């Protein structure tokens, strides 16, 4: 794996989504349809959740819109590999749902109801652990997952398990001291960790130029003795390919950093108002860089799905999300008596 | 006097201090164009410019450390930690360093930093947006800790904190930000750090509290008065460190009964020190066991409404404890 | 039984647990060829190899975070923080994360990490090598906190901590390392976390303590017995969290008088909780104000011998407080 | 200022002390004699302190032996500049004393006596603040000084003072999260901070290869958007020249990192036994790389001092240190009543 050398300086205009191409090795049209289906369901539920926040039914949500292709691309690579583990962050709905949660489970979680698979509604939506699907996200403290992921990789290595660990974080998280410490340790011990920086160029309101004096987070990897690459995070297949290579590298030689350049299509969370700090034209411009629209077009243009088929998939997604919403609305929050459970493990 | 909210009082205090003293500046995540996640610095970057309203990288250790270093040069930084739950990376610089600067240099150097920390629950913040953190600072010599309950106190105490030559941990209860409103004078005023206030006088029971809980205590006191059960004296600590032991002990000696109320979990909380003080220095005056109504010993407040409600001390729980004390 | 020092007991506990269970490993600064700055892991890298005895980079946040992550996979890491004073960068992972893993995942996940922290003063460590940090963890639900005073307790409790499925903060008082020696059985044994021990029975006064101070309390108790002033019961908490309230309250109910002794600074220390508990749950049994002999509220222990001596609670100060209580 | 590109991989053999050359611009023979005098006094007191530890009179000391040339080189550049401020760490005796403390003040501090100018014996030797000489070192917590130095630089900039801030740290300290955060902030705000990494290839017992996966800490500077250079830290004039350039750069463009490659000639502190972890041959080899001996030779060879003059300087240093030792031994520790002073500033 070679190291990225040519820096891109700007952000929103540095990437041209090159979606017309051959299928990467190992990928079948069925895979594409499968992931298209997941992507559409995830986008549908993401939009619904935002709406439900406006209705007062979901207290808080961080939308993953704009991040779907990067996350699903990595998931596709991980599934093809078959022995990976995930430490996502709060914006990684596509990972958390993509691995197999049902829409109802997701809705229960966002509404703070009994049956949230991560924390049974103790935490913000989908935080805690979903071990059944190899996902841990203990908190929404920015960058706290990085050292934990490295420790998990260390443990796997000690136990003779050649798992590859994916850990996800934002451009803002790159500033935290713990991010540095995690990468440094992973470098020293050559652990099979793939550091995925989902660079949407904002940390809430703070733009990248106030976050760091460089254009590419990936350039820091060299300082830890491993390669860093820039990936078009709006393109599912580009993300897949980078991750597939990264998995191979990780297992053979150690860590890799992939900087996925992408966009945050929505405000930071449902509590945020991005018009305070983001120029109107920029907000409009990024809407044109929607990875779901891009993947839809690709699937059409390449003939993997017809418009009718796509509409049917979207309709299915809407039905599933409607059902999930009804089920979650009917569900109860955990009983107050749960308050004192699980402070300590037995 | 105009009626203001707590967040308005906080904003005005900083605004006026920045106009008064060029050495004062704010820094933190999203304090610039966003105006802070709670809008405490709304309009500041337009007024004072990006040099004095610094949007920092997402790195709390550096926010505190850089503020501290700037204070060594006579600046008076007001770093903001976005939520109390995220201050842990900053405590090396706050507890480890700032608190010991003056002592550790035998007074050669000091650290006039006011770190503002929105804290507390009851806002569906879940495990990582609800935490009470006062006990950790309360135990740390070298720090001052302020935790106001009203807009008036918030403004007067924040100004004092900014003018203080020591590191001050300024705790703003998030639920009070918009919920609690009250009179705030137009003129410049400061309130002394280290002085509690009797927010409601009474003869029969003393209840000591701070922050949001003061309001629930006042409601509970009214309930008991209406029931004819007891006249409850409500002491609002306002400053946790230095603790105004005089006001607390005086009240306890008068009433003979003490209840302490805080949202923070009970074991090792601020309330335990109040109880320990009374059990030592007002022992002969005590007519009943010292009670505490506090958060339970679970790792902060869960997200689900049911669990959050179960966690939070409230007017009913406080009133019940007061009734028990009255009946003792 | 052989006579061992505390540091030997600590070393043996880890040595045996690493032989017993492959998932146990140690990590920290200088734990490898140096054998730890206090030689707690002397000979370990030779015995267990560099995979299980990991010399980490100088970065405490990662030491704790990596240990935590490894524990998610069923390993049982024993991270070491070189001196308590340097643990601040680690508390984001310890207080912020580890303590809430089980609760925050509704029991899906747990964190069997034993973090070893040499702490305490009386060794000319100055402001940054003497600190007591127990109060911060004592206040944090989700953590267990152990602070033994003797080699026997240290070994039995460290083994229990390693086998425990929760994050355990294991506090080793540096001054006891070589100073305190005592019998340690050859056979494998464990001691229950959460059980205090009456180290000396007595009828007249209860003194509650832990760590190094237990020994000074025992000396003071002997003094008072020799003087014919009082029979003092010395309760060694051994575990601070969960606190053995039963043993403490039982003793207080028997003697009617309570003194609490710790080296940590007084305000908001562990002692305040013990006092608060007794002032609530043993109120009717108390015959005297609850006393505390603790470190003063200054930012840890200064370097100069004179100042360090002035800081430290000692046998004489404790004996004097006991005499006062006896005379009350 | 150009960025260093060629990595050196090993450590102890990467540097050839090239001490025979022209005097750098702005440096006079008098400067050299002056700094030689300081260096000899510092080394003499450093050795004495170690001896006194063995006699039980000094509780603890971290020797600066091996680090003198780097520190004094930076001090020389700072003095020539005239508007610099220092945030050293515990191994920087040459900075702390070089700026002007008397041997007696230093001895008082090491013996924990009244009159220690930094903390009046509250802290380990020479920690606290010596504002008279523009030095702050609040603690011996590794890496705690970096963000503070950056904050100090920020304050100077806000106050319109064009001071340049020197902050010193070890190779071990480079792993701390705070080091990353400090450099990142300094880069974003282009603050005039010179980050001096005194790389002696050990953090107590941990060798550099267990500390990081790279050969040169300086390579990390690029990731913060500023230059990083490697300097022969055993050579006073090389250190001077690098620092002089760095000062110019700092004032005009912002931060610089200088990685001073040097040697720790003694165990970590008086409490340490380096034979536990350092190969015997290595310990012997580094003795041959003594910067004080190198500067002595240079002064002789270049004819700035004769052997007699050097002997006289050494004798003067011994006398001064003897007197200081006697004075400090006779002094008292601060009175116990001081315990409660200065917990808070008025
Ligand atoms: C330690 C910490 N500090 C602050 C916050 C508040 N906060 C939540 S998200 C966020 C911005 C994160 O930005 P980035 O890492 O770029 O991720 P993005 O949200 O853009 O995907 C901040 C400041 C937090 N959760 N944790
Ligand atoms: C935060 C922190 N952790 C651990 C220590 C203990 N300690 C003191 S010096 C040191 C090694 C520092 O190595 P380096 O930064 O390379 O500096 P050097 O001593 O080699 O000059 C350690 C681990 C400390 N003082 N602070
Ligand atoms: Mg971002
Ligand atoms: Mg070093």
């Amino acid at each position: 794996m070679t190291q990225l050398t040519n820096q891109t300086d700007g952000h929103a205009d540095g990437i041209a989504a090159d979606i017309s191409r051959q299928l990467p090795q190992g990928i079948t049209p069925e895979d594409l349809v499968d992931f298209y289906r997941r992507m559409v369901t995830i986008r549908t539920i993401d939009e619904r959740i935002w709406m439900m926040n406006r209705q007062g039914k979901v207290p808080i949500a961080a939308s993953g819109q704009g991040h779907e292709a990067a996350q699903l691309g990595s998931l596709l690579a991980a599934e093809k590999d078959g022995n990976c583990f995930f430490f996502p962050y709060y914006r990684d709905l596509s990972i958390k749902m993509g691995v197999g949660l049902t829409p109802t489970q997701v809705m229960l979680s966002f509404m703070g109801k009994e049956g949230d698979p991560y924390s049974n509604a103790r935490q913000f939506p989908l935080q805690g652990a979903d071990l059944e699907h190899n996902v841990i996200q203990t908190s929404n403290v920015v960058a706290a997952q990085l050292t934990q992921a490295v420790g998990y990789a260390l443990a796997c290595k000690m136990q003779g398990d050649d798992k590859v660990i994916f850990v996800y974080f934002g451009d803002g998280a790159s500033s935290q001291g713990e991010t540095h410490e995690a990468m440094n340790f992973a470098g020293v011990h050559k652990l099979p960790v793939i550091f995925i920086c989902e660079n949407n160029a904002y940390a809430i309101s703070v733009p990248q130029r106030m976050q760091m004096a460089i254009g590419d987070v990936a350039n820091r990897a060299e300082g830890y003795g491993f390669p860093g690459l820039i990936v078009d995070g709006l393109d599912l297949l580009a993300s897949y390919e980078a991750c597939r290579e990264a998995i191979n590298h990780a297992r053979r030689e150690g860590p890799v950093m992939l900087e996925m350049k992408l966009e945050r299509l929505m405000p930071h969370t449902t509590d945020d108002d991005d018009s305070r700090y983001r120029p109107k034209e920029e907000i409009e411009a990024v809407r044109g860089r929607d990875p779901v629209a891009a993947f839809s077009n690709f699937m059409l243009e390449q003939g993997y799905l017809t418009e009718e088929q796509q509409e049917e998939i979207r309709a299915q997604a809407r039905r599933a999300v409607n059902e999930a919403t009804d089920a979650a609305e009917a569900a109860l929050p955990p009983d107050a008596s749960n308050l004192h459970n699980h402070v300590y493990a037995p | 006097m105009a009626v203001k909210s707590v967040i308005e009082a906080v904003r005005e205090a900083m605004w006026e201090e920045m106009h008064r003293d060029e050495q004062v500046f704010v820094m933190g995540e999203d304090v610039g164009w966003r105006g802070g996640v709670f809008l405490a610095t709304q309009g500041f970057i337009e007024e004072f410019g990006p040099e004095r309203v610094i949007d920092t990288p997402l790195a709390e250790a550096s926010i505190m450390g850089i503020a501290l270093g700037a204070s060594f040069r006579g600046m008076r930084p007001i770093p903001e930690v976005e939520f109390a739950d995220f201050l842990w990376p900053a405590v090396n610089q706050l507890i480890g360093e700032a608190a010991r600067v003056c002592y550790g240099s035998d007074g050669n150097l000091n650290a006039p930093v006011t770190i503002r920390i929105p804290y507390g629950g009851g806002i569906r913040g879940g495990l990582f947006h609800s935490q009470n953190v006062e006990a950790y600072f309360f135990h740390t010599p070298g720090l001052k800790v302020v935790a106001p309950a009203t807009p008036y106190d918030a403004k007067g105490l924040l100004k004092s904190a900014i003018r203080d030559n020591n590191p001050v941990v300024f705790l703003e209860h998030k639920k009070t930000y918009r919920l609690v409103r009250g009179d705030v004078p137009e003129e410049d005023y400061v309130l002394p750090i280290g002085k509690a206030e009797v927010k409601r006088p009474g003869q029969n029971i003393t209840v000591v509290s701070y922050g949001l809980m003061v309001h629930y205590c006042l409601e509970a006191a009214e309930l008991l008065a209406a029931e004819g059960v007891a006249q409850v004296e409500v002491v609002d600590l306002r400053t946790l460190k230095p603790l105004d032991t005089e006001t607390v002990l005086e009240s306890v000696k008068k009433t003979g009964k003490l209840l302490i109320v805080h949202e923070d979990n009970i074991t090792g909380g601020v309330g335990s020190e109040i109880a320990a003080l009374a059990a030592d220095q007002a022992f002969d005056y005590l007519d009943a066991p010292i009670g505490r109504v506090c958060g339970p010993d679970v790792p902060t407040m869960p997200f689900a409404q049911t669990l959050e409600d179960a966690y939070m001390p409230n007017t009913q729980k406080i009133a019940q404890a007061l009734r028990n004390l009255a009946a003792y």
Side-chain angles (χ1 to χ4, degrees), chain A, chain B:
Chain A
M1 183 169 251
T2 50
Q3 194 127 349
L4 177 115
T5 46
N6 60 324
Q7 282 187 233
T8 63
D9 243 28
H11 188 77
D13 42 28
I15 307 155
D18 168 20
I19 50 164
S20 125
R21 71 162 103 70
Q22 295 292 305
L23 278 190
Q25 233 199 331
I27 295 300
T28 65
E30 289 69 39
D31 293 328
L32 293 182
V33 174
D34 174 16
F35 270 73
Y36 180 72
R37 207 181 286 277
R38 298 193 212 187
M39 191 188 246
V40 168
T41 311
I42 289 162
R43 171 61 65 89
T44 307
I45 206 163
D46 192 310
E47 289 172 346
R48 179 68 54 88
I49 286 164
W50 198 272
M51 225 174 70
M52 291 180 66
N53 169 268
R54 295 324 191 213
Q55 297 167 358
K57 291 174 181 168
V58 163
I60 179 105
S63 164
Q65 294 179 43
H67 289 235
E68 293 96 337
Q71 293 170 31
L72 288 174
S74 73
L75 183 59
L76 178 52
E79 285 188 3
K80 289 283 170 192
D81 178 72
N83 194 21
C84 294
F85 199 98
F86 306 92
F87 282 80
Y89 76 113
Y90 52 80
R91 205 176 293 292
D92 290 335
L93 178 63
S94 295
I95 297 295
K96 292 172 187 166
M97 193 170 171
V99 291
L101 289 193
T102 65
T104 301
Q105 287 177 307
V106 172
M107 271 299 177
L108 287 169
S109 186
F110 274 87
M111 297 183 73
K113 299 292 180 73
E114 179 89 37
D116 156 25
Y118 271 78
S119 77
N120 205 15
R122 279 175 175 182
Q123 293 219 48
F124 271 13
L126 302 180
Q127 287 177 196
D130 173 15
L131 294 185
E132 196 192 323
H133 296 106
N134 297 322
V135 187
I136 292 176
Q137 185 197 335
T138 57
S139 81
N140 49 359
V141 176
V142 167
Q145 71 276 24
L146 284 112
T147 56
Q148 294 168 18
V150 170
Y152 198 91
L154 178 71
C156 289
K157 189 174 161 186
M158 291 171 100
Q159 295 173 348
D161 177 349
D162 75 344
K163 236 182 219 25
V164 170
I165 314 300
F166 279 81
V167 59
Y168 302 80
F169 61 103
D171 44 301
S174 74
S175 298
Q176 279 285 18
E178 289 196 13
T179 303
H180 166 75
E181 297 188 13
M183 292 188 184
N184 187 43
F185 191 97
V188 170
H189 291 269
K190 302 205 182 308
L191 297 173
V193 181
I194 302 178
F195 293 96
I196 298 203
C197 180
E198 298 179 32
N199 185 350
N200 58 21
Y202 278 94
I204 306 188
S205 71
V206 180
Q208 184 175 343
R209 70 168 186 289
M210 293 296 291
Q211 193 75 239
M212 64 189 88
I214 54 173
D216 302 308
V217 181
N219 278 348
R220 293 216 176 120
E222 193 192 329
Y224 305 111
F226 55 81
L229 285 97
I230 291 172
V231 181
D232 178 357
L234 296 174
D235 180 345
L236 189 144
L237 288 179
S239 302
Y240 161 77
E241 287 188 283
C243 289
R244 192 194 53 187
E245 262 199 72
I247 290 172
N248 292 336
H249 178 92
R251 223 173 246 128
R252 276 199 314 268
E253 298 180 50
V256 188
M257 195 196 316
L258 300 180
E259 180 181 1
M260 308 280 200
K261 303 274 195 186
L262 39 74
E263 299 292 350
R264 194 187 82 196
L265 299 184
M266 301 293 284
H268 173 67
T269 64
T270 45
D271 277 354
D272 185 31
D273 169 9
D274 57 358
S275 71
R276 287 185 181 284
Y277 54 83
R278 226 176 157 171
K280 213 173 148 198
E281 317 76 65
E282 187 183 299
I283 294 179
E284 271 159 27
V286 299
R287 294 218 196 293
R289 293 169 39 74
D290 180 341
V292 176
F295 195 47
S296 268
N297 288 340
F298 169 80
M299 293 295 280
L300 273 183
E301 283 164 14
Q302 303 290 313
Y304 296 121
L305 285 171
T306 64
E307 287 206 38
E308 293 68 41
Q309 287 169 321
Q310 289 197 351
E311 192 33 61
E312 174 52 26
I313 287 173
R314 281 195 280 266
Q316 272 173 9
R318 277 194 300 274
R319 278 195 300 277
V321 172
N322 287 342
E323 281 165 26
T325 308
D326 292 345
E329 288 209 62
L332 292 173
D335 188 80
S337 63
N338 282 301
L339 180 67
H340 297 274
N341 295 345
H342 300 303
V343 176
Y344 293 98
Chain B
M1 282 207 283
V3 172
K4 303 248 159 84
S5 65
V6 170
I7 190 75
E8 284 164 345
V10 164
R11 190 188 302 134
E12 280 186 12
M14 290 194 285
W15 182 278
E16 290 170 20
E17 291 303 296
M18 284 181 71
H19 274 296
R20 193 186 57 78
D21 182 351
E22 279 214 329
Q23 310 303 318
V24 179
F25 70 100
V26 299
M27 60 186 293
E29 294 156 16
D30 306 292
V31 300
W33 296 108
R34 177 77 175 77
V37 284
F38 296 102
L39 305 183
T41 54
Q42 194 174 12
F44 278 45
I45 198 165
E46 293 88 342
E47 178 79 3
F48 302 105
E51 282 78 27
R52 294 179 70 199
V53 182
I54 304 176
D55 262 337
T56 63
L58 206 171
E60 284 78 6
S62 65
I63 292 173
M64 186 59 217
I66 287 165
L68 183 58
S71 82
F72 293 164
R73 182 77 196 166
M75 299 298 291
R76 295 184 170 274
I78 315 177
E80 175 184 291
V81 166
E82 218 152 57
F83 284 80
D85 315 64
F86 308 141
L87 73 82
W88 299 115
V91 297
N92 185 45
Q93 289 292 333
L94 181 53
I95 296 179
E97 298 287 310
R100 303 184 220 189
V101 161
C102 185
Y103 194 72
S105 67
D106 200 46
N108 287 345
L109 194 64
N110 55 20
V113 178
T114 299
I115 179 166
R116 290 183 45 248
I117 309 181
Y119 78 111
I123 50 137
R124 301 295 306 276
L127 287 193
F128 288 93
H129 289 82
S130 305
Q131 201 172 359
N132 292 77
V133 292
E134 57 271 29
Y136 301 98
F137 305 120
F138 179 67
H139 180 60
T140 307
L143 298 180
K144 296 187 178 182
V145 184
V146 178
T150 67
Y152 178 78
D153 291 349
K155 183 166 179 188
L157 285 164
L158 182 48
K159 288 192 163 212
S160 290
I162 294 167
R163 299 180 196 182
D164 199 285
N165 287 327
N166 294 282
V168 181
V169 176
F170 196 86
L171 296 167
E172 302 164 9
H173 197 292
K174 298 193 291 284
K175 187 158 185 166
T176 68
Y177 269 158
R178 286 175 176 81
L179 189 70
V180 179
R181 302 175 59 81
D183 284 335
V184 176
E186 298 301 326
E187 329 81 64
D188 180 45
Y189 70 99
V190 293
L191 294 173
I193 291 178
K195 288 308 253 179
E197 187 184 53
V198 175
K199 281 259 165 31
R200 182 189 195 283
Q203 279 68 250
N204 309 122
I205 309 177
T206 297
V207 51
V208 173
S209 192
Y210 56 90
L212 173 68
M213 290 296 141
V214 169
H215 304 285
Y216 299 166
C217 289
L218 287 167
E219 285 177 7
E222 291 306 323
L223 261 180
L224 264 78
E227 292 169 7
V229 175
Q231 282 301 332
V232 175
E233 177 148 308
V234 179
V235 177
D236 175 5
L237 291 174
R238 303 198 295 189
T239 296
L240 304 182
K241 193 176 192 72
L243 190 65
D244 183 354
T245 54
E246 213 175 301
T247 302
V248 171
L249 291 172
E250 207 173 279
S251 178
V252 174
K253 287 179 184 173
K254 182 175 70 176
T255 63
K257 292 181 177 180
L258 173 59
L259 181 74
I260 303 148
V261 176
H262 57 61
E263 180 184 313
D264 195 9
N265 62 289
I266 187 164
T267 295
V270 171
S272 61
E273 181 65 32
I274 315 275
L277 276 171
D280 181 9
Q281 294 174 39
F283 180 74
D284 290 328
Y285 299 84
L286 287 174
D287 299 325
I290 299 173
R292 285 183 285 168
V293 172
C294 301
D297 281 323
V298 305
T300 319
M301 233 164 288
F303 180 59
Q305 191 69 68
T306 42
L307 301 176
E308 187 178 79
D309 290 346
Y311 180 104
M312 286 290 276
N314 59 29
T315 305
Q316 288 311 329
K317 293 179 194 173
I318 297 165
Q320 192 48 48
L322 288 170
R323 284 186 206 108
N324 294 347
L325 265 185
Y328 189 87

